[in-house]
Structure formats: structure tokens, C-alpha cells
């Protein structure tokens, strides 16, 4: 490792670093604006100025930018040099000449990087007394507020939006000394990652518009480590609450999963919690009575409920009477994926490892709509794939602009086969729009020795790739998953390290699939046949997984329907006994993501009056007095099913304490929680709830220092670093893993026996008959609207597209359909859909693309043959 000298002291640094990274890696402070650990250096702000010396005999040196200075053996700099310090103070002063100094009313105040760097540079007095430059702000949609007058021209926003996220509707505009960052005209930002602008912006130019509606300063937020519930990737988040109400969600760094970023659905979907069910214990006694009188009980689990809650329900009803909560289509696909995961030699990469791929083939799944951060990871992979071009020119990886100029338009190879055109098409080499039943055959053709056309092109690129990757998902079906695995095996057989990445739709889909049980259709059959007259449903809207007629039949046939949920659904409306439970933000438990990574999440606040976590309600229903915390449930599960044993190490248990023998404080040390907010009904200060179930406290009374266990980090804060830039202080090195390791532990790398699926393999169906006016009805996930929880949020709801059936112009001509025409579709199982037609050439022939998870398409999860009326 190179050795560098900083202010006369020798430090070791990793190869390929710059001096700003060397400073931060060694725990030193140096102000900066334009540099970001996820984006590299451009040397735009000039704030990281240091004195650079040629060698130990050089006594004069020169002013240089640390972020643009390679950290080579013997490099000597001084941070404390008086001239360098004065230079940095002047940089801040000229950047602040047009800044409005509106900290008291700025949403960024209190966790602002500009405030931190101003204090660090020593600029304390404002001398500028002239008219300030002003701008007109833009409407950028329901997620982001624009206040251009606060801009210091660091260029972070446009670099993230265009270079990393691939957006094209946001740019830099300027003339003379007027630089503007925004859109050409007002309008909703088109990128699915626009919310990250609120975090990369070092000032208050871009702020969270949803948070502003119920704003709270950072020091008044109670936070906890959590996991996003809006898809199956398991991105790490930090939800913040005030007075028990959600105020915002920010990124929680995890170097193996989402890194520094999250998607807009994960960031702004939290507003569903405002419509959560209220507390009330009235139905608990009724539920106990119904269970005691029941003649056969079936429990229906949920892929959006914790592993512990699902196991508690399985124990309540018995293994043979437990349903995973997945549809037959989902369950078959999940079983195929687990089997594929545990057999063969193919690599199952993490989300972070996806970024190292140079050739990617997507089969039948839409990352943008189903797992948005996979879209982001693939974009990074394509951007980084030709990095050797820059390296051969001796350009370091961190020199962002030089790398971009060297690569020009070079990128990795991305191929896609799906029934519709995806947003990733804009960076793809070639795409194929095919019927869903043809995708497995296409994958097997690529793997064969007789590939032709596009299949042959893909096969050739995979054979010479450095790190090829095959991507598919449960929504593509079991046959496509198996075909993707065969393709990966064929590439491995040619000597390539091929990975297979499979998406799952919900936060704990893998958890319930590994737990084992029947599918939803089997649960409905048992109820309708009289084998069970009581259903216990855990956080699952069965109307989304059964077609309307089957759901109505189930509701009519079941005598007792006991439902535990945090939101109102069609299933809760039909309940005989409804038991409201807490949302994910007021619960703790374990989610297992698509790569089988078990991750713990913790409640931000104690449950509101009359509410309790789902597992505690099930404990009370079953009289399981041995469970005092969800950890007790996890221990019992691990003892009975060794496949889950590694999950015990995903986070410390309740008896864990810091070196100071304290819990971790959920509230920061400046928390002003003790106020007179309740003085209208009591003058007594309410006692803070005591959390006996986790290593965290609900108050600021606890250890404020970074915990040794990264899974317990409730916020990123460091003295002098109040913004999320403090993340650097929690990492082993810039951009590297967290001290204590990245949160989560993979399960399927460990041998274990899983319960067998109890749903039969889906029967093969012939393609559509044009003479009978048949067509493929293919559900497509949309980032806004398809996911059950986020669509209930105010901001996300504004961006939900209309429910339409999209067909190809030639298909419209064959069936005599016109754009905008209302059409009725009749599925093989008798379901009727009425949707307007949109004619586009972005879909395959003989296919109608419909949105999955919308009320108008309720119950349609898998591709099906439908007749057009």
C-alpha cells in the first residue's frame, strides 16, 4: 500500500486513491462540495485545497486540489498550511456571495453539508453587500422541491442525474456567470431515482417535498435501521418519525445492496402509513372465540410480513394448514428459483455485484417497474464495463470527467427479451419483443449450438464476456427461471464466471417461500371444500392473488375470516374479525431478499395505543407465552429449520450493549422531545417507552457513538458532519464496507432442507387462437401503482398511470381495434376485464400489456390467454 505524508505524519492508503480519499480514509477532515464517494472527482468547487509538496526538500509547495491529486507513494500535502486554509475560506466566501443565507427556513437546515463545510473552513463573517443573483424555481413533480437561489454550482445534481441515473430531462443551463440546474421547462422529473437529488445536493436546492408537508428538523427525528418494504431487493433505509408519525425516509448505506442510493418508490412510498388502520382491541376476543369454535383452520401468510410473523402463524395453525400467501404462479416460480439457487455452480450475485457485469441479458422481467434499484445497478454496469479503456490511458477510476471523455460512448452490452419495451432499452445493444411463452425458448436457443440471428449475437458476447450476467424474475415464470439457469450453466461451461440474478416481487417473498406451505389457491380450495371453516389471513389482500370470482366465492364459503393487517383492503372489508397491526415502521423482524440475504429491521417508535405488532397478536391468539420478543420466535424457527439459523447473526439481540454498556439511542443528542406538546391535556411529562425487545432505546438516553454492529446504525452523524456525508466516518474506506461489515447474511449458501411446495406445476397452454379472437394478456409491473403499499401514498399516487391495455398496431389491425377504444377481455377462468386500448409499437404481436396490481386488473398476476369481445 502506498504511504503518503499529511501534515508531517505518514499514513497508508489503498491503491488507486486520490488525496481527498486518503484524508477521509484516515479519519481526517477536509471540506469538499463537488466530490462524492459514489460519483468520483471533477475538481469543480476548489474547496479541498491543500498545499502539495514535490518532496521532503520542498518547503514552498503549491496549492492543489486534493480530490484531483493521486495518492502515490511519498505524496506530501498539508491540510493545516495557513495559505491553504485561507484559500478554502475564500472559496466558501465566493460561493456564498449569492446564497440567500436562509438557513432558519430552509428544509436542509440542521443536516446541511454547506453549513458543515462553512464551519469547517472557518468562514464566519459575511462581507458581500451587493445585490444577489436570483433565479426562478421550477415545478419538478410531487417528490422534489426546487429552490435554485441556494445553488453553489457544485454540479453534483446533474452528474448524478445524467451520468449515473441516465436521465435526460435535467441538465445544466448557463451564460456568463449564471448557471442553472433544472429542466428545459417545468415538469415532473422522469427519472425513477430523482429523490437522490435531495441527498447529493450539499445545499437546499433540491429537497424532499413530501417531508416538507410535515417537516421536522433532523435533530428532532427519531430514527432506526430498517429495510424497504416496496420490492424484494432489500434496500436499507432510515425512516424518521416525530410524535409517532412518519416524516421522511433516507438512504442507509449498505455496500452489498443499495450503496448510497434508493429509488423514488422506496423513498416516497412511506406515505401509505398515513392511511394505516387505527388501534383497537375489540376484535381480539372475538378472534379467540372464532378460533376456539373453528372446524378446521387455515393460515394465510404474507410476503410483506416479517419472517417471524409468518412463522408464528404457521405455528398457530400447523405446518400442514399454512399457506405462504403466494399465488400458484408465484409459488411455482419461487420453488424453481430456490432449487436453481441450491444446485449447480452458477454465481448468485448481490445487487452491488451486478455493477461489475459487462454483458447483461434480461429475460422476461422489467427491472425498472419491479425492482428499480436493479435498473440503477445495470446502468452502472453498462457505464463501468469499458473502464479498461481509461485505465490503459493511465486515467484513475476516480477522475470522473476524464473517464467519461476517454470512454466517449463506449458501454457494456445489454440485451433484453420481453413482451414489452423497457426503459432500459435506451442503453441496450438490442432488444426482442416476444410473447411470454417464447422467452424460455429464446434463452435455450442462446445456450444451444444452433443459435441464429440475435440469439447468436448474444451467445458470442456472453462467451467472451469478463463477467456475464443473466437476469430474470419470478414474474417471468418458473420455466423462464429454469431456462435462464440453463443459459448461465452453458456460459459457465465455456469458462466464464456467469451470474444469475432473479428478482422477487415483495420484501419477504423469499422468506415465505423458504418457510414452505401451500399456495393461496390451495387455501381457497380447502375453505370451499369444507376442510376448514376458518381462515386467518396475515397482512395479505387475497383479492390481489385470486381472480374476482374466486375471491368472492372464498368470502362466501368461509365461515370465519380473521384478518391481521395494517391497511384497509378488500380482504379486511370481508373480515369476521379484524385485528389492526403496526406498519413496518413500528415493527421489528426479519426480511429475506431475493439473494436470500436475511436483514433485520427495527421499529422507529413504540406502537400507538391499541396497536401491536402482528407477531404479538398471533402470540396472544395462540397463547404462546414463551415468546417475549421476535428474537424468541427466530430462535425457535432456527432450531426447527436449520436453513434459517444464519439469520440469528443478522443483528444483535436485545441484551447487546455498547462498550459503554448502553443501548443505542434512536433519538439524537439534540432531540427536543421533552416539550409542552401535550399540555392541553396533561402537565406531566409522559415517560418514554422502554424497549425491552431490541438493543435500541426510544429516547436520546443511550449511546450516541457509532455502534460496532452496523446493523444497528440508526442514523449517520459525526461531530462536524451533520449531513449524510457523515457516512464516510462509518466506513472502513471511502465507498467500502461499513465497520462491522455490511448488514445482512445470506442463507442459501448454507445447506438445509426446505419444505416442499404443495402447488402443482402450471399446465402448459397453447398460444392464442386469432380466429377465436384470443390474445396474450400479460401483466406488467409499473414502478408507481403496481406495488400494494406505495400506491396509497399521496405523492406516488400522483404519478400512477391510467389502467390501459397496450397492443401493437398490427395486433390492433388484426382484431379491428382503435386507440382509446374500450375493450372487454375474458380470461380462460372466466374473469372479465374492461380496459381502454392504447396502440403502440413498443409491445410484441398478439399481446395485450396490462398493469399488474391495479384495481382494474385485480387478480391478474400471470400471463394468460384472453378472448376479446
Amino acid at each position: 500500500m502506498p504511504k503518503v505524508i499529511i501534515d508531517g505524519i505518514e499514513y497508508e492508503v489503498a491503491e488507486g486513491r486520490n488525496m481527498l480519499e486518503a484524508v477521509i480514509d484516515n479519519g481526517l477532515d477536509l471540506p469538499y462540495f463537488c466530490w462524492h464517494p459514489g460519483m468520483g472527482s471533477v475538481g469543480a468547487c476548489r474547496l479541498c485545497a491543500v498545499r502539495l509538496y514535490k518532496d521532503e526538500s520542498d518547503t514552498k509547495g503549491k496549492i492543489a486540489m486534493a480530490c484531483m491529486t493521486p495518492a502515490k507513494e511519498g505524496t506530501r500535502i498539508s491540510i493545516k498550511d495557513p495559505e491553504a486554509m485561507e484559500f478554502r475560506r475564500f472559496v466558501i466566501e465566493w460561493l456564498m456571495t449569492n446564497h440567500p443565507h436562509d438557513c432558519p427556513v430552509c428544509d436542509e437546515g440542521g443536516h446541511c453539508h454547506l453549513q458543515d463545510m462553512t464551519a469547517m473552513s472557518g468562514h464566519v463573517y459575511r462581507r458581500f453587500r451587493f445585490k444577489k443573483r436570483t433565479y426562478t424555481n421550477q415545478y419538478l413533480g410531487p417528490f422534489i422541491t426546487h429552490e435554485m437561489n441556494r445553488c453553489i454550482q457544485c454540479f453534483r445534481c446533474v452528474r448524478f442525474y445524467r451520468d449515473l441515473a441516465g436521465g435526460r430531462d435535467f441538465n445544466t443551463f448557463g451564460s456568463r456567470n449564471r448557471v442553472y440546474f433544472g429542466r428545459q421547462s417545468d415538469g415532473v422529473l422522469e427519472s425513477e431515482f430523482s429523490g437522490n437529488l435531495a441527498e447529493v445536493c450539499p445545499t437546499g436546492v433540491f429537497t424532499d417535498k413530501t417531508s416538507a408537508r410535515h417537516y421536522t428538523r433532523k435533530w428532532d427525528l427519531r430514527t432506526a435501521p430498517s429495510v424497504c418494504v416496496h420490492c424484494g431487493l432489500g434496500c436499507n433505509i432510515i425512516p424518521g418519525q416525530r410524535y409517532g408519525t412518519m416524516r421522511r425516509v433516507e438512504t442507509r448505506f449498505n455496500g452489498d445492496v443499495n450503496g448510497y442510493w434508493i429509488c423514488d418508490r422506496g423513498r416516497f412510498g412511506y406515505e401509505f402509513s398515513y392511511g394505516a388502520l387505527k388501534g383497537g382491541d375489540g376484535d381480539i376476543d372475538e378472534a379467540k372465540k372464532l378460533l376456539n369454535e373453528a372446524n378446521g383452520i387455515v393460515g394465510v401468510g404474507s410476503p410483506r410480513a416479517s419472517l417471524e410473523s409468518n412463522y408464528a402463524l404457521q405455528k398457530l395453525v400447523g405446518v400442514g394448514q399454512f399457506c405462504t400467501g403466494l399465488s400458484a404462479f408465484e409459488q411455482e416460480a419461487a420453488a424453481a428459483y430456490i432449487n436453481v439457487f441450491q444446485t449447480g455452480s452458477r454465481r448468485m450475485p448481490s445487487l452491488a455485484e451486478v455493477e461489475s457485469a459487462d454483458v447483461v441479458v434480461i429475460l422476461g422481467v422489467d427491472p425498472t417497474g419491479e425492482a428499480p434499484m436493479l435498473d440503477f445497478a445495470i446502468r452502472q454496469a453498462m457505464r463501468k464495463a469499458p473502464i479498461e479503456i481509461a485505465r490503459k490511458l493511465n486515467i484513475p477510476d476516480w477522475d470522473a470527467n476524464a473517464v467519461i471523455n476517454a470512454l466517449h460512448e463506449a458501454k457494456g452490452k445489454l440485451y433484453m427479451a420481453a413482451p414489452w419495451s423497457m426503459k432500459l432499452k435506451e442503453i441496450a445493444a438490442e432488444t426482442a419483443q416476444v410473447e411470454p411463452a417464447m422467452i424460455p425458448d429464446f434463452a435455450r436457443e442462446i445456450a444451444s449450438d444452433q443459435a441464429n440471428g440475435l440469439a447468436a449475437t448474444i451467445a458470442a458476447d456472453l462467451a467472451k464476456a469478463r463477467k456475464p450476467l443473466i437476469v430474470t424474475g419470478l414474474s417471468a415464470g418458473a420455466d423462464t427461471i429454469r431456462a435462464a439457469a440453463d443459459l448461465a450453466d452453458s456460459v459457465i461451461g465455456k469458462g466464464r464466471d456467469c451470474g444469475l440474478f432473479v428478482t422477487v416481487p415483495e420484501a419477504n417473498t423469499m422468506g415465505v417461500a423458504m418457510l414452505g406451505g401451500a399456495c393461496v389457491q390451495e387455501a381457497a380450495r380447502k375453505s370451499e371444500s369444507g376442510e376448514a371453516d376458518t381462515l386467518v389471513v396475515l397482512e395479505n389482500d387475497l383479492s390481489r392473488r385470486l381472480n374476482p370470482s374466486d375471491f368472492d366465492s372464498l368470502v362466501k364459503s368461509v365461515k370465519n375470516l380473521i384478518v391481521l393487517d395494517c391497511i384497509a383492503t378488500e380482504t379486511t372489508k370481508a373480515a369476521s374479525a379484524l385485528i389492526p397491526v403496526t406498519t413496518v415502521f413500528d415493527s421489528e423482524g426479519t426480511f429475506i431478499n431475493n439473494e436470500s440475504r436475511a436483514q433485520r429491521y427495527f421499529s422507529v417508535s413504540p406502537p400507538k395505543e391499541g396497536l401491536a405488532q402482528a407477531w404479538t397478536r398471533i402470540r396472544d391468539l395462540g397463547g404462546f407465552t414463551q415468546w417475549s420478543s421476535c428474537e424468541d420466535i427466530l430462535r425457535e424457527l432456527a432450531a426447527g429449520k436449520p436453513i434459517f439459523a444464519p439469520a440469528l447473526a443478522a443483528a444483535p439481540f436485545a441484551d447487546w450493549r455498547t462498550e459503554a454498556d448502553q443501548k443505542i439511542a434512536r433519538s439524537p443528542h439534540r432531540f427536543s422531545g421533552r416539550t409542552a406538546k401535550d399540555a392541553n391535556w396533561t402537565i406531566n411529562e409522559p415517560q418514554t417507552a422502554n424497549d425491552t425487545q431490541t438493543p435500541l432505546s426510544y429516547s436520546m438516553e443511550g449511546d450516541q457513538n457509532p455502534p460496532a454492529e452496523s446493523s444497528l446504525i440508526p442514523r449517520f452523524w459525526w461531530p462536524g458532519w451533520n449531513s449524510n456525508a457523515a457516512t464516510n466516518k462509518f466506513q472502513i474506506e471511502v465507498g467500502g464496507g461499513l465497520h462491522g461489515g455490511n448488514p445482512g447474511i445470506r442463507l442459501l449458501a448454507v445447506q438445509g432442507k426446505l419444505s416442499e411446495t404443495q402447488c402443482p406445476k402450471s399446465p402448459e397452454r397453447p398460444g392464442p387462437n386469432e380466429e377465436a379472437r384470443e390474445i396474450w394478456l400479460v401483466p406488467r409491473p409499473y414502478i408507481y401503482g403496481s406495488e400494494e403499499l406505495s400506491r396509497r401514498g399521496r405523492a406516488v399516487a400522483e404519478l400512477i398511470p391510467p389502467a390501459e391495455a397496450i397492443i401493437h398496431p398490427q395486433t390492433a389491425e388484426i382484431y379491428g381495434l382503435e386507440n382509446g377504444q374500450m375493450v372487454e377481455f375474458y380470461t380462460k377462468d372466466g374473469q372479465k376485464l374492461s380496459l381502454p386500448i392504447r396502440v403502440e409499437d413498443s409491445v410484441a404481436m398478439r399481446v395485450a400489456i396490462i398493469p399488474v396490481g391495479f384495481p382494474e386488473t385485480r387478480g391478474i398476476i400471470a400471463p394468460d390467454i384472453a378472448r376479446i369481445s
Side-chain angles (χ1 to χ4, degrees):
M1 296 175 68
K3 292 183 173 62
V4 299
I5 295 88
I6 303 174
D7 287 317
I9 301 175
E10 187 177 84
Y11 297 92
E12 284 191 346
V13 298
E15 291 282 353
R17 313 294 269 182
N18 61 53
M19 287 306 295
L20 176 57
E21 293 170 336
V23 167
I24 296 173
D25 284 351
N26 284 283
L28 306 175
D29 288 343
L30 180 62
Y32 61 86
F33 280 136
C34 64
W35 176 84
H36 186 281
M39 294 189 286
S41 305
V42 291
C45 71
R46 324 305 288 172
L47 186 58
C48 63
V50 295
R51 184 165 291 280
L52 173 65
Y53 301 94
K54 292 181 180 180
D55 51 43
E56 59 184 15
S57 63
D58 183 2
T59 58
K60 293 184 178 180
K62 64 178 181 179
I63 298 296
M65 302 306 117
C67 73
M68 301 301 293
T69 303
K72 299 179 179 179
E73 180 69 32
T75 302
R76 306 174 71 89
I77 66 168
S78 172
I79 298 173
K80 299 177 181 178
D81 175 75
E83 187 177 358
M85 295 175 67
E86 186 178 34
F87 186 97
R88 296 195 294 267
R89 183 171 60 81
F90 285 156
V91 169
I92 284 285
E93 186 171 23
W94 81 55
L95 290 176
M96 295 290 284
T97 54
N98 289 289
H99 190 81
H101 291 256
D102 59 346
C103 300
V105 296
C106 177
D107 289 355
E108 198 76 359
H111 91 298
C112 174
H113 189 62
L114 175 60
Q115 289 178 331
D116 292 343
M117 298 301 97
T118 300
M120 189 180 295
S121 67
H123 173 59
V124 296
Y125 184 74
R126 177 183 175 187
R127 297 185 294 173
F128 187 76
R129 292 292 182 268
F130 304 97
K131 185 177 180 179
K132 287 180 178 287
R133 181 179 56 209
T134 58
Y135 299 92
T136 299
N137 300 320
Q138 290 184 324
Y139 169 76
L140 299 178
F143 296 154
I144 294 294
T145 298
H146 190 220
E147 180 50 74
M148 187 59 204
N149 290 329
R150 297 171 180 151
C151 184
I152 58 167
Q153 293 85 44
C154 71
F155 289 85
R156 272 189 182 187
C157 58
V158 73
R159 290 173 58 212
F160 169 80
Y161 198 91
R162 295 181 69 86
D163 298 346
L164 270 68
R168 288 295 173 263
D169 62 315
F170 180 93
N171 211 336
T172 306
F173 306 89
S175 64
R176 302 194 347 261
N177 70 334
R178 297 181 64 84
V179 181
Y180 191 89
F181 298 93
R183 289 171 50 91
Q184 185 176 4
S185 60
D186 287 22
V188 178
L189 289 169
E190 296 173 3
S191 172
E192 295 79 12
F193 314 101
S194 64
N196 291 288
L197 293 177
E199 291 198 32
V200 301
C201 178
T203 72
V205 177
F206 303 100
T207 53
D208 185 336
K209 185 177 286 187
T210 67
S211 176
R213 285 199 289 268
H214 29 259
Y215 184 70
T216 297
R217 293 292 187 191
K218 181 178 183 177
W219 60 77
D220 279 336
L221 283 175
R222 177 187 288 147
T223 55
S226 191
V227 177
C228 181
V229 74
H230 300 300
C231 84
L233 293 179
C235 295
N236 287 203
I237 59 171
I238 298 176
Q241 291 186 357
R242 175 71 164 164
Y243 303 143
T245 302
M246 280 296 300
R247 303 304 173 99
R248 73 173 177 216
V249 165
E250 291 190 309
T251 308
R252 180 165 65 106
F253 179 87
N254 186 324
D256 291 331
V257 188
N258 53 297
Y260 295 97
W261 324 108
I262 54 174
C263 74
D264 288 353
R265 186 168 70 191
R267 185 182 300 276
F268 303 111
Y270 73 90
E271 288 188 309
F272 82 87
S273 62
Y274 297 141
L277 295 174
K278 307 301 180 183
D281 297 326
D283 282 347
I284 286 287
D285 293 336
E286 177 66 16
K288 290 180 179 179
K289 177 184 175 184
L290 295 178
L291 287 175
N292 289 333
E293 298 173 354
N295 183 20
I297 306 171
V298 170
V300 180
S302 171
R304 63 173 165 89
S306 71
L307 181 64
E308 292 83 357
S309 293
N310 277 285
Y311 173 71
L313 179 60
Q314 187 182 68
K315 186 176 179 69
L316 176 70
V317 301
V319 173
Q321 297 299 101
F322 177 73
C323 163
T324 61
L326 303 177
S327 69
F329 176 81
E330 293 171 315
Q331 183 124 324
E332 181 195 350
Y337 175 37
I338 291 173
N339 181 64
V340 162
F341 206 130
Q342 293 187 303
T343 58
S345 57
R346 60 195 77 86
R347 177 172 49 87
M348 299 297 184
S350 67
L351 185 61
E353 290 170 336
V354 168
E355 297 188 12
S356 64
D358 58 339
V359 176
V360 178
V361 180
I362 300 176
L363 299 171
V365 66
D366 188 347
T368 314
E370 185 173 324
M373 284 304 295
L374 175 58
D375 171 302
F376 187 85
I378 291 172
R379 290 180 184 274
Q380 307 323 301
M382 297 299 96
R383 179 176 64 89
K384 297 175 182 178
I387 191 68
E388 287 301 325
I389 295 174
R391 289 173 179 171
K392 288 178 181 178
L393 297 173
N394 294 321
I395 298 173
D397 293 357
W398 48 259
D399 195 344
N401 278 351
V403 169
I404 291 173
N405 291 333
L407 301 188
H408 193 44
E409 295 182 356
K411 58 179 180 290
K413 297 290 185 68
L414 172 62
Y415 298 98
M416 300 183 293
W420 61 84
S421 178
M422 306 177 201
K423 190 169 183 180
L424 279 169
K425 181 180 179 179
E426 61 196 21
I427 62 169
E430 286 191 65
T431 64
Q433 294 168 10
V434 296
E435 297 178 17
M438 295 173 60
I439 296 173
D441 295 335
F442 182 70
R444 292 185 175 107
E445 182 185 355
I446 299 171
S448 72
D449 296 329
Q450 289 80 38
N452 295 302
L454 177 57
T457 301
I458 297 174
D461 281 339
L462 287 172
K464 60 186 179 184
R466 174 177 44 82
K467 274 206 170 180
L469 177 67
I470 314 299
V471 175
T472 189
L474 264 59
S475 60
D479 196 20
T480 299
I481 291 173
R482 287 188 283 264
D486 292 342
L487 174 56
D489 287 342
S490 74
V491 178
I492 292 171
K494 296 173 182 177
R496 297 298 170 187
D497 180 21
C498 187
L500 176 64
F501 192 95
V502 181
T503 66
V504 299
E506 296 175 76
N508 202 31
T509 297
M510 282 294 284
V512 292
M514 293 170 63
L515 195 58
C519 59
V520 167
Q521 283 74 10
E522 177 65 12
R525 185 199 65 77
K526 287 185 177 183
S527 175
E528 293 173 15
S529 67
E531 293 181 40
D533 67 356
T534 300
L535 241 62
V536 183
V537 180
L538 168 67
E539 299 188 55
N540 201 331
D541 184 5
L542 301 184
S543 71
R544 291 173 58 90
R545 305 182 198 276
L546 298 170
N547 68 47
S549 60
D550 289 346
F551 177 73
D552 292 341
S553 177
L554 171 63
V555 170
K556 291 176 182 177
S557 65
V558 68
K559 180 181 177 182
N560 305 315
L561 181 59
I562 302 171
V563 182
L564 300 90
D565 213 331
C566 61
I567 56 173
T569 66
E570 293 300 312
T571 305
T572 62
K573 292 178 184 177
S576 309
L578 173 60
I579 305 174
V581 297
T582 56
T583 68
V584 64
F585 303 120
D586 294 327
S587 306
E588 52 257 354
T590 305
F591 285 149
I592 300 177
N593 78 345
N594 68 299
E595 51 157 327
S596 82
R597 182 182 298 273
Q599 298 183 104
R600 287 283 301 278
Y601 62 91
F602 297 89
S603 62
V604 182
S605 296
K608 296 181 179 68
E609 185 176 0
L611 282 174
Q613 298 182 50
W615 69 266
T616 65
R617 292 306 193 198
I618 298 172
R619 176 196 62 188
D620 296 341
L621 291 175
F624 303 128
T625 56
Q626 72 272 28
W627 296 340
S628 61
S629 70
C630 68
E631 296 167 357
D632 295 332
I633 303 176
L634 189 59
R635 287 190 185 97
E636 183 176 313
L637 171 60
K641 295 177 183 285
I643 192 72
F644 294 106
L648 295 171
F653 289 155
D655 57 357
W656 182 90
R657 295 295 184 269
T658 67
E659 292 183 359
D661 196 29
Q662 291 183 313
K663 288 191 167 195
I664 300 297
R666 286 181 172 94
S667 301
H669 64 286
R670 293 184 293 171
F671 187 70
S672 56
R674 292 178 173 172
T675 67
K677 69 181 183 68
D678 298 320
N680 60 318
W681 63 274
T682 177
I683 62 172
N684 296 317
E685 181 64 35
Q687 184 175 356
T688 303
N690 182 27
D691 187 355
T692 60
Q693 300 180 8
T694 75
L696 294 94
S697 71
Y698 283 122
S699 68
M700 59 183 175
E701 295 168 355
D703 205 328
Q704 297 284 347
N705 296 310
E709 294 286 343
S710 61
S711 58
L712 299 179
I713 298 173
R715 76 194 71 82
F716 291 106
W717 178 89
W718 192 267
W721 299 79
N722 296 286
S723 74
N724 55 12
T727 304
N728 298 328
K729 300 295 186 178
F730 291 70
Q731 295 171 304
I732 299 171
E733 62 181 23
V734 171
L738 297 169
H739 289 289
N742 292 316
I745 185 165
R746 288 177 68 154
L747 304 185
L748 288 185
V750 180
Q751 292 297 315
K753 186 174 178 59
L754 299 170
S755 301
E756 296 293 329
T757 176
Q758 298 174 26
C759 284
K761 183 179 179 180
S762 301
E764 294 185 6
R765 291 182 174 179
N769 183 347
E770 289 184 10
E771 294 182 0
R773 293 181 63 79
E774 290 182 344
I775 192 171
W776 276 109
L777 203 60
V778 181
R780 172 186 180 179
Y782 286 84
I783 183 172
Y784 307 124
S786 291
E787 196 272 322
E788 182 179 10
L789 299 178
S790 62
R791 66 173 288 118
R792 296 165 179 265
R794 172 179 163 181
V796 169
E798 291 186 34
L799 300 184
I800 296 176
E804 299 172 314
I806 307 174
I807 61 174
H808 194 276
Q810 294 183 30
T811 304
E813 184 178 347
I814 291 171
Y815 294 107
L817 303 176
E818 297 180 355
N819 195 51
Q821 178 182 348
M822 186 64 71
V823 173
E824 293 180 347
F825 298 90
Y826 294 87
T827 65
K828 293 289 187 180
D829 55 12
Q831 184 172 351
K832 172 185 172 182
L833 295 180
S834 297
L835 294 169
I837 291 294
R838 189 165 99 230
V839 180
E840 285 185 4
D841 60 2
S842 63
V843 300
M845 290 284 293
R846 304 198 308 166
V847 164
I849 303 297
I850 63 172
V852 68
F854 282 42
E856 298 86 347
T857 60
R858 193 177 296 277
I860 303 290
I861 291 180
D864 199 1
I865 302 293
R867 178 176 55 84
I868 301 175
S869 64

